[in-house]
Amino acid sequence: MLDETPRLCPSCGLAQARLKRIDHYLSLFFVPLFPVKKGQPLLMCDRCGYAAPPEEGFYGRPTETAPPPPVTIRCPSCGRTLEPSFAYCPYCGRKV
């Protein structure tokens, strides 16, 4: 653990997030012998398990884009709304 100071978690909003780092060790029979690589610091929440780079914890989650609007397909013959998977119109029988 790099810092014991609790910070606000961007996910759950509680002050349960702490700055941690996961280091990699060379081990022999599951016993760590010596460090091989230092990990990147992460902001990890003890409550909800959220993990993110520390910069994201200060500024919140990145804004998510809205999903694209659903595609509406109309039958060229009768004008009724169809699902995109239909190859034929179930109302008039014409090919879409």
Side-chain angles (χ1 to χ4, degrees):
M1 191 168 306
L2 295 176
D3 190 10
E4 288 289 331
T5 307
R7 300 178 184 185
L8 287 177
C9 174
S11 179
C12 65
L14 299 174
Q16 297 289 321
R18 289 175 171 58
L19 198 58
K20 297 181 181 181
R21 182 178 71 204
I22 300 172
D23 295 335
H24 302 275
Y25 288 86
L26 180 66
S27 59
L28 180 65
F29 297 107
F30 305 107
V31 176
L33 298 177
F34 57 90
V36 176
K37 177 181 163 187
K38 287 187 179 181
Q40 297 293 324
L42 291 173
L43 188 64
M44 296 180 75
C45 181
D46 297 331
R47 177 74 179 218
C48 68
Y50 180 77
E55 300 85 30
E56 188 175 313
F58 292 118
Y59 303 113
R61 283 188 170 174
T63 57
E64 296 179 9
T65 58
V71 178
T72 56
I73 299 175
R74 296 197 176 268
C75 176
S77 178
C78 66
R80 290 190 156 173
T81 305
L82 305 174
E83 291 185 22
S85 62
F86 288 167
Y88 292 92
C89 176
Y91 304 107
C92 66
R94 294 252 175 140
K95 186 172 182 171
V96 178

